[in-house]
Amino acid sequence: MKGLPILDLAVILIYLLSMILVGVYFSRKNKNSDQFTKASGMIPSWAIGLSIYATFLSSNTFIGVPGKAFGSNWNAFVFSLSIPLAAWVASKYFVPFYRGTGEISAYTHLEHRFGAWARTYAVVCFLLTQVARMGSIFFGIAITLQALTGYSMQAIMIVTGLCIIFYTVLGGMEAVIWTEVVQAVIKTFGALLILYMIVSDLPGGVSKIVEIGAADGKFSLGSFSPDFTSSSFWVILLYGFFINLNNFGMDQNYVQRYHTAENEKSASKSVWLCVWMYVPVSLLFFLIGTSLYAYAQAHPELIEQVRQQVAVERLPAGASESQVTAMAASLTPADYGDKVMPAFMVSKIPAGLVGLILSAILAAAMSTISSGMNASATVFSVDIYQRYIKHDVNDKQNLRVLHIGTAVFGLIGMGAGIAMIGVKSILDMWWELSGIFAAGMLGLFLLGIISKQSKNHEALLATAIGIIVILWMTFSGSLLVDYPLLQSTMHKNMIIVVGTLTIFLFGVLLTKIRKRT
C-alpha cells in the first residue's frame, strides 16, 4: 500500500488480520447450516442491535452522506427521521411474524401465501438489491483507498473483497455479528475523530461552521411544499419509511438476525437499539459534510485539488491541461462531494490517525458486505437450491452450498462495484437502485400480511401491474423523450412508494371485485 506511512499501514493490517482471526475462531463452531445461518439462536440482543446498526452504517454513509451534505444540504437526513416509525411497525408486527414462522428465509412464506412465483419474484428482487448494495459499498471504499494509496479502484476492491469473503465463509453468521459489534465501535469512534480533526483545524471552529452553513442553506431539510417531482422533505420521508419498512420486513439481512436472538422480545430490543444509535450517528455524518464545506471556504486549495482529480477522471486519457482546467472550473460541489473527505484525510490528518480512520471506513464497508454475502447465500440455499435443484439435501451438502454461495455473491458484488466506477454520487445511485428493486417485493409482502382474503391470481395480476408502473417510472424519461406527456414527472425516490402502493392497492381492489362477483 504505497503512499501510507508505516504506522498507518500497521494499524490497517492489524485490523484486517483481527477480522480474519475472528473468522478462523468461529469456524471451529460452524459444523452445521443452522449455526452458519443463525448462530443457533444464542446471540444477545445488544450484540444483534449493534450488528444491525453496523449494517445500516455502511461506507455509503461514511463517504456518501458527507459528500451529499457537502454538495447540497441536510435533505437526506429526513431518511433517518423515518426510521423510528418503520422500526415501530417492525417490532410490533414483523418480528413476531418471522419468529412465529420459524423459517430462516424471509421469502418462504410467500409461496405458502401466493405460490412459487411470489417467492421466486421476491428472491430475485432481494438478490438484485444485495448486488447493488455490495457494489456501491465496494465502490465507496475504493474511492477513499485510491486517494490514500494510488492503487487502482479495481485492485482495491479485489483485495478487500477477498479478505471479506475469507472471514465470512469461515465464520458464518456468528462471525458476521461479532465482527460487526467491533466494527460498530470502530466506525463510530472514527466518525467522531474525523469531525474533531476538521473542527480543530478550522479558524473559528463550530461557530464558523454554523455561520457558513446557515448562510448557504446547508442545514435545510428540503422544501416542505407538497412537491413530489423534486427531492422535497416529503419525498425523502416517504422514501425512507418505505425503504426501511422493506429493510425490517423483507430484507434477509435483518430477518435473519431476528432468528439469531434467544426470543421475540430480545429480537425487538435489537431493532430499537439500532434505531437509537443510527439516527444521532447519521446526523454526525451530515455535520461532517457541512464542516467540510465550511473548511473548504477557508482552504480553497483543497477543493482545487479535488476538482483537478475529478476532471482528470472524467476526461479521456491524454486530455490537454487546458481541457482539464476547463472541466475542473465547470464542476459544482455536487459533482465532487464524495471526493472531499478522502482528500482531507490525505492532506490534513497526521500519520497513525489516518490508519485508524481508514480502519473505520473499512469496517463500515466490511460489515455490510459480509452481512449481504451471508444473507444472499442463505436465500440461494433455501429458496433456489433446495426449492428447485435438490430437495433432499443433507446438512453437510447444504453447508457446502452456503460456503460456495457466500464466495460467489462476494465476487459478484465486487464485479458490480467495478462496474460503478465513475458514478457521481454513491448515495443517489444506491437510493435509486434500492427503490427500484425493493418496491415490488414490499407491496407483495404487505398484500400477503394485511389482505388475508387476497388469493394467488389477484396477487399475480397486482404484481404485474406494479412492475409495469415501476418500469414506467424508471425508464419513461429516457425512452419516451418525444412524448413528454407519457413521461413520469415524479422524483426517482418515489418509485418504491408508488410501486409498493400500486401492488397493494390493486391487490385489495381485485379482491373486493372478486368477492362482489
Side-chain angles (χ1 to χ4, degrees), residues 50-76:
L50 285 174
S51 173
I52 298 174
Y53 159 73
T55 302
F56 260 100
L57 196 62
S58 67
S59 60
N60 287 346
T61 306
F62 239 98
I63 303 299
V65 167
K68 192 71 174 170
F70 181 95
S72 56
N73 52 35
W74 286 13
N75 174 236

Side-chain angles (χ1 to χ4, degrees), residues 303-315 324-337 339 424:
I303 299 307
E304 184 57 34
Q305 172 192 334
V306 172
R307 284 183 169 185
Q308 292 287 326
Q309 175 192 349
V310 173
V312 169
E313 291 174 358
R314 293 193 178 183
L315 289 170
V324 172
T325 302
M327 169 67 82
S330 69
L331 296 174
T332 66
D335 294 319
Y336 53 81
K339 303 281 188 177
K424 183 167 70 172

Side-chain angles (χ1 to χ4, degrees), residues 439-440 443 466 469-470 473 494-504:
V469 170
I470 292 168
M473 292 186 68
M494 288 297 292
I495 292 175
I496 186 172
V497 179
V498 176
T500 298
L501 291 176
T502 298
I503 293 175
F504 175 73

Side-chain angles (χ1 to χ4, degrees), residues 15 18-19 22 46-47 50-51 54 175-189 363 367:
Y15 168 74
S18 299
M19 294 299 99
V22 169
W46 64 268
L50 285 174
S51 173
V176 168
I177 289 178
W178 287 111
T179 53
E180 286 179 338
V181 169
V182 176
Q183 290 161 350
V185 176
I186 292 174
K187 63 180 77 172
T188 304
F189 178 74
S367 60

Side-chain angles (χ1 to χ4, degrees), residues 237-248:
L237 186 69
L238 286 170
Y239 170 82
F241 175 70
F242 276 82
I243 202 70
N244 284 307
L245 209 59
N246 178 78
N247 287 339
F248 290 126

Side-chain angles (χ1 to χ4, degrees), residues 115-272:
W117 71 268
R119 179 182 185 178
T120 303
Y121 171 69
V123 165
V124 171
C125 288
F126 169 76
L127 293 177
L128 288 173
T129 304
Q130 289 310 295
V131 169
R133 174 184 284 170
M134 289 188 286
S136 67
I137 292 167
F138 271 119
F139 175 51
I141 190 62
I143 288 176
T144 304
L145 284 173
Q146 184 191 46
L148 291 168
T149 66
Y151 285 122
S152 70
M153 288 189 180
Q154 293 91 332
I156 290 167
M157 291 186 208
I158 291 170
V159 172
T160 55
L162 290 176
C163 290
I164 299 169
I165 289 171
F166 186 77
Y167 83 74
T168 307
V169 169
L170 282 178
M173 179 52 75
E174 192 165 7
V176 168
I177 289 178
W178 287 111
T179 53
E180 286 179 338
V181 169
V182 176
Q183 290 161 350
V185 176
I186 292 174
K187 63 180 77 172
T188 304
F189 178 74
L192 290 168
L193 182 58
I194 291 171
L195 183 61
Y196 171 76
M197 295 299 299
I198 298 170
V199 174
S200 63
D201 197 33
L202 176 64
V206 174
S207 60
K208 192 65 175 177
I209 294 169
V210 173
E211 177 189 335
I212 294 175
D216 292 354
K218 289 296 176 178
F219 301 117
S220 170
L221 296 178
S223 170
F224 284 87
S225 63
D227 175 18
F228 299 102
T229 63
S230 63
S231 185
S232 66
F233 176 91
W234 305 110
V235 165
I236 302 303
L237 186 69
L238 286 170
Y239 170 82
F241 175 70
F242 276 82
I243 202 70
N244 284 307
L245 209 59
N246 178 78
N247 287 339
F248 290 126
M250 284 293 291
D251 193 318
Q252 181 69 23
N253 286 286
Y254 303 88
V255 172
Q256 197 164 331
R257 281 166 173 75
Y258 302 158
H259 293 288
T260 65
E262 297 179 24
N263 51 53
E264 181 184 314
K265 184 178 180 181
S266 179
S268 294
K269 282 183 177 179
S270 69
V271 171
W272 283 111

Side-chain angles (χ1 to χ4, degrees), residues 365-428:
M366 295 174 77
S367 60
T368 309
I369 293 172
S370 62
S371 174
M373 287 164 51
N374 187 281
S376 298
T378 301
V379 166
F380 175 80
S381 171
V382 174
D383 296 301
I384 297 178
Y385 188 80
Q386 295 179 46
R387 176 64 179 81
Y388 295 107
I389 300 174
K390 189 171 183 179
H391 301 287
D392 57 343
V393 60
N394 60 43
D395 195 71
K396 184 178 180 181
Q397 293 169 329
N398 189 33
L399 189 59
R400 187 182 306 117
V401 170
L402 288 166
H403 286 158
I404 295 172
T406 300
V408 168
F409 281 108
L411 293 172
I412 293 173
M414 271 192 276
I418 293 171
M420 290 176 186
I421 293 175
V423 168
K424 183 167 70 172
S425 171
I426 303 172
L427 197 64
D428 284 345

